PDB file of all heavy atoms in Angstrom:
ATOM      1  N   PHE A 138     145.021 -33.348 190.159  1.00  0.00           N
ATOM      2  CA  PHE A 138     145.096 -34.799 190.002  1.00  0.00           C
ATOM      3  C   PHE A 138     143.684 -35.331 190.154  1.00  0.00           C
ATOM      4  O   PHE A 138     142.992 -35.008 191.118  1.00  0.00           O
ATOM      5  CB  PHE A 138     146.020 -35.422 191.062  1.00  0.00           C
ATOM      6  CG  PHE A 138     147.469 -35.294 190.751  1.00  0.00           C
ATOM      7  CD1 PHE A 138     148.197 -34.221 191.208  1.00  0.00           C
ATOM      8  CD2 PHE A 138     148.108 -36.248 189.972  1.00  0.00           C
ATOM      9  CE1 PHE A 138     149.539 -34.091 190.911  1.00  0.00           C
ATOM     10  CE2 PHE A 138     149.453 -36.133 189.668  1.00  0.00           C
ATOM     11  CZ  PHE A 138     150.179 -35.051 190.139  1.00  0.00           C
ATOM     12  N   PRO A 139     143.211 -36.146 189.212  1.00  0.00           N
ATOM     13  CA  PRO A 139     141.810 -36.545 189.186  1.00  0.00           C
ATOM     14  C   PRO A 139     141.262 -37.166 190.474  1.00  0.00           C
ATOM     15  O   PRO A 139     140.112 -36.957 190.799  1.00  0.00           O
ATOM     16  CB  PRO A 139     141.746 -37.557 188.042  1.00  0.00           C
ATOM     17  CG  PRO A 139     142.860 -37.181 187.154  1.00  0.00           C
ATOM     18  CD  PRO A 139     143.943 -36.665 188.065  1.00  0.00           C
ATOM     19  N   SER A 140     142.043 -37.912 191.219  1.00  0.00           N
ATOM     20  CA  SER A 140     141.478 -38.595 192.388  1.00  0.00           C
ATOM     21  C   SER A 140     141.685 -37.845 193.696  1.00  0.00           C
ATOM     22  O   SER A 140     141.367 -38.363 194.753  1.00  0.00           O
ATOM     23  CB  SER A 140     142.062 -39.999 192.492  1.00  0.00           C
ATOM     24  OG  SER A 140     143.468 -39.938 192.538  1.00  0.00           O
ATOM     25  N   ILE A 141     142.174 -36.632 193.619  1.00  0.00           N
ATOM     26  CA  ILE A 141     142.262 -35.802 194.821  1.00  0.00           C
ATOM     27  C   ILE A 141     141.056 -34.870 194.796  1.00  0.00           C
ATOM     28  O   ILE A 141     140.882 -34.084 193.873  1.00  0.00           O
ATOM     29  CB  ILE A 141     143.591 -35.019 194.877  1.00  0.00           C
ATOM     30  CG1 ILE A 141     144.754 -36.010 194.988  1.00  0.00           C
ATOM     31  CG2 ILE A 141     143.583 -34.044 196.043  1.00  0.00           C
ATOM     32  CD1 ILE A 141     146.119 -35.379 195.061  1.00  0.00           C
ATOM     33  N   SER A 142     140.210 -35.001 195.801  1.00  0.00           N
ATOM     34  CA  SER A 142     138.964 -34.233 195.859  1.00  0.00           C
ATOM     35  C   SER A 142     139.253 -32.753 196.057  1.00  0.00           C
ATOM     36  O   SER A 142     139.824 -32.346 197.070  1.00  0.00           O
ATOM     37  CB  SER A 142     138.106 -34.752 197.014  1.00  0.00           C
ATOM     38  OG  SER A 142     137.037 -33.865 197.267  1.00  0.00           O
ATOM     39  N   ARG A 143     138.830 -31.940 195.104  1.00  0.00           N
ATOM     40  CA  ARG A 143     139.061 -30.498 195.184  1.00  0.00           C
ATOM     41  C   ARG A 143     138.372 -29.908 196.399  1.00  0.00           C
ATOM     42  O   ARG A 143     138.996 -29.212 197.207  1.00  0.00           O
ATOM     43  CB  ARG A 143     138.567 -29.811 193.902  1.00  0.00           C
ATOM     44  CG  ARG A 143     139.038 -28.356 193.792  1.00  0.00           C
ATOM     45  CD  ARG A 143     138.034 -27.481 193.074  1.00  0.00           C
ATOM     46  NE  ARG A 143     136.779 -27.420 193.774  1.00  0.00           N
ATOM     47  CZ  ARG A 143     136.539 -26.614 194.820  1.00  0.00           C
ATOM     48  NH1 ARG A 143     137.454 -25.809 195.283  1.00  0.00           N
ATOM     49  NH2 ARG A 143     135.363 -26.623 195.415  1.00  0.00           N
ATOM     50  N   SER A 144     137.094 -30.172 196.551  1.00  0.00           N
ATOM     51  CA  SER A 144     136.393 -29.591 197.693  1.00  0.00           C
ATOM     52  C   SER A 144     136.913 -30.172 199.000  1.00  0.00           C
ATOM     53  O   SER A 144     137.061 -29.453 199.990  1.00  0.00           O
ATOM     54  CB  SER A 144     134.884 -29.784 197.569  1.00  0.00           C
ATOM     55  OG  SER A 144     134.554 -31.151 197.495  1.00  0.00           O
ATOM     56  N   GLY A 145     137.219 -31.457 199.007  1.00  0.00           N
ATOM     57  CA  GLY A 145     137.728 -32.081 200.231  1.00  0.00           C
ATOM     58  C   GLY A 145     139.029 -31.479 200.708  1.00  0.00           C
ATOM     59  O   GLY A 145     139.167 -31.106 201.872  1.00  0.00           O
ATOM     60  N   VAL A 146     140.007 -31.355 199.797  1.00  0.00           N
ATOM     61  CA  VAL A 146     141.313 -30.844 200.244  1.00  0.00           C
ATOM     62  C   VAL A 146     141.294 -29.337 200.487  1.00  0.00           C
ATOM     63  O   VAL A 146     142.025 -28.850 201.340  1.00  0.00           O
ATOM     64  CB  VAL A 146     142.484 -31.248 199.305  1.00  0.00           C
ATOM     65  CG1 VAL A 146     142.659 -32.745 199.271  1.00  0.00           C
ATOM     66  CG2 VAL A 146     142.348 -30.660 197.938  1.00  0.00           C
ATOM     67  N   THR A 147     140.459 -28.602 199.771  1.00  0.00           N
ATOM     68  CA  THR A 147     140.415 -27.158 200.036  1.00  0.00           C
ATOM     69  C   THR A 147     139.704 -26.873 201.356  1.00  0.00           C
ATOM     70  O   THR A 147     140.150 -26.013 202.121  1.00  0.00           O
ATOM     71  CB  THR A 147     139.751 -26.368 198.888  1.00  0.00           C
ATOM     72  OG1 THR A 147     138.455 -26.906 198.623  1.00  0.00           O
ATOM     73  CG2 THR A 147     140.595 -26.383 197.640  1.00  0.00           C
ATOM     74  N   ILE A 148     138.642 -27.589 201.651  1.00  0.00           N
ATOM     75  CA  ILE A 148     137.949 -27.399 202.934  1.00  0.00           C
ATOM     76  C   ILE A 148     138.867 -27.821 204.078  1.00  0.00           C
ATOM     77  O   ILE A 148     139.009 -27.119 205.077  1.00  0.00           O
ATOM     78  CB  ILE A 148     136.615 -28.165 202.964  1.00  0.00           C
ATOM     79  CG1 ILE A 148     135.631 -27.547 201.967  1.00  0.00           C
ATOM     80  CG2 ILE A 148     136.019 -28.173 204.374  1.00  0.00           C
ATOM     81  CD1 ILE A 148     134.393 -28.385 201.714  1.00  0.00           C
ATOM     82  N   ALA A 149     139.511 -28.974 203.925  1.00  0.00           N
ATOM     83  CA  ALA A 149     140.427 -29.451 204.961  1.00  0.00           C
ATOM     84  C   ALA A 149     141.577 -28.459 205.160  1.00  0.00           C
ATOM     85  O   ALA A 149     141.948 -28.155 206.300  1.00  0.00           O
ATOM     86  CB  ALA A 149     140.967 -30.831 204.592  1.00  0.00           C
TER      87      ALA A 149
END
Side-chain angles (χ1 to χ4, degrees):
F138 281 92
S140 56
I141 296 180
S142 168
R143 192 212 62 82
S144 59
V146 297
T147 55
I148 293 168

